[in-house]
Amino acid sequence: MRITAMVSGMVLFAFAGVAPGQGTIDVAPQWAFCPDEKNVGISEGWQVSTYDDSAWAKIDAGRQWEALGYPDLDGYAWYRKWVDVPKEWEARPTWLLLAGVNNTYVLFCNGERVNSFGEPAGRGVA
């Protein structure tokens, strides 16, 4: 499963994949990360699961952007990660827990928009 999140703000704390009775997956380490200061991510297809993010920085979720080398970033940025979901979780409800997002997020799974929070401030978020 490809998880992609477009985030507006400065903080994205932690992610965890959870299936009731099946445990959790710590998905915080090693996200592909790219600031989107010109807000071109949607129009360039950054949400699509086949988009090539190999040139993006690798960061761990759970820390402020300032602490990760982006002290002046204020706007949108993208996080992308492949997550191997255990076969035992198949056909079970599964959650992605976002411990904290400052301002806004739009969440995609396998290229499909599945959730959002906050107001995109007229940024053309589809």
Side-chain angles (χ1 to χ4, degrees), residues 1-5 31 45-51 78-85 96 106-115:
M1 166 175 47
R2 167 68 86 177
I3 301 171
T4 304
W31 285 76
W46 295 6
Q47 74 279 13
V48 177
S49 60
T50 56
Y51 182 83
W78 288 74
Y79 291 76
R80 293 173 52 91
K81 182 176 183 93
W82 281 105
V83 176
D84 292 323
V85 177
L96 177 67
V106 179
L107 181 66
F108 300 87
C109 182
N110 295 332
E112 299 293 322
R113 181 181 173 150
V114 294
N115 207 347

Side-chain angles (χ1 to χ4, degrees), residues 6-117:
M6 181 180 77
V7 178
S8 170
M10 295 185 297
V11 181
L12 185 61
F13 287 113
F15 294 88
V18 181
Q22 298 295 317
T24 64
I25 300 171
D26 178 8
V27 297
Q30 293 297 294
W31 285 76
F33 177 81
C34 185
D36 188 6
E37 295 166 302
K38 295 181 181 177
N39 194 32
V40 298
I42 293 285
S43 64
E44 292 185 2
W46 295 6
Q47 74 279 13
V48 177
S49 60
T50 56
Y51 182 83
D52 181 8
D53 59 23
S54 61
W56 290 17
K58 299 292 187 252
I59 66 169
D60 293 341
R63 299 182 58 207
Q64 294 180 338
W65 291 347
E66 295 92 343
L68 297 170
Y70 301 90
D72 299 320
L73 180 58
D74 187 22
Y76 288 101
W78 288 74
Y79 291 76
R80 293 173 52 91
K81 182 176 183 93
W82 281 105
V83 176
D84 292 323
V85 177
K87 187 157 182 67
E88 313 73 78
W89 290 19
E90 202 170 296
R92 295 181 178 263
T94 304
W95 292 270
L96 177 67
L97 305 177
L98 304 170
V101 175
N102 183 9
N103 295 346
T104 301
Y105 75 83
V106 179
L107 181 66
F108 300 87
C109 182
N110 295 332
E112 299 293 322
R113 181 181 173 150
V114 294
N115 207 347
S116 63
F117 171 80

